[in-house]
Amino acid sequence: MSRFLPLTIRFVSGGTMVVTTVAEAKKALAGHWKNKEAPAYLEAARLVDDAIAGTCRPAIAFAAFKKVAAQQGLLKDARPSAALTMLDTLWSRSKAPPG
């Protein structure tokens, strides 16, 4: 099981990739991005490399990756899982006024 919630990245070229680990984030950073010279992209790439080397916490690197993906419009909206949808439905039923 992954440590991070899955992120779906839609590259400029049209391809997609699900990213759940720092290693997958490194692979995704090698894909087609809008601007690989942007400071946030370069920072995320550095932090991901540092996390792989063990000199940065993976959570910090993954957060930087998520931030730059969102900034460049590559982060695909995540839909709630079927289980979460079911739990939301059950919860909303329990909050309904008696009638």
Side-chain angles (χ1 to χ4, degrees):
M1 183 172 184
S2 172
R3 182 173 180 185
F4 304 107
L5 293 176
L7 301 176
T8 301
I9 305 299
R10 183 178 305 268
F11 297 106
V12 174
S13 61
T16 61
M17 178 179 179
V18 176
V19 179
T20 61
T21 65
V22 173
E24 290 172 348
K26 182 167 179 68
K27 287 181 185 178
L29 287 166
H32 292 95
W33 288 66
K34 289 182 180 177
N35 184 359
K36 287 190 173 185
E37 300 301 319
Y41 175 90
L42 297 172
E43 177 74 1
R46 182 185 66 77
L47 290 171
V48 165
D49 286 342
D50 288 350
I52 290 170
T55 59
C56 174
R57 289 189 352 213
I60 291 172
F62 201 81
F65 171 79
K66 181 178 179 179
K67 178 181 174 184
V68 73
Q71 284 178 349
Q72 294 199 19
L74 303 182
L75 193 57
K76 188 176 172 188
D77 290 334
R79 295 184 195 161
S81 68
L84 183 57
T85 301
M86 189 182 311
L87 285 172
D88 285 344
T89 302
L90 291 171
W91 182 82
S92 64
R93 285 182 190 166
S94 71
K95 293 293 182 180

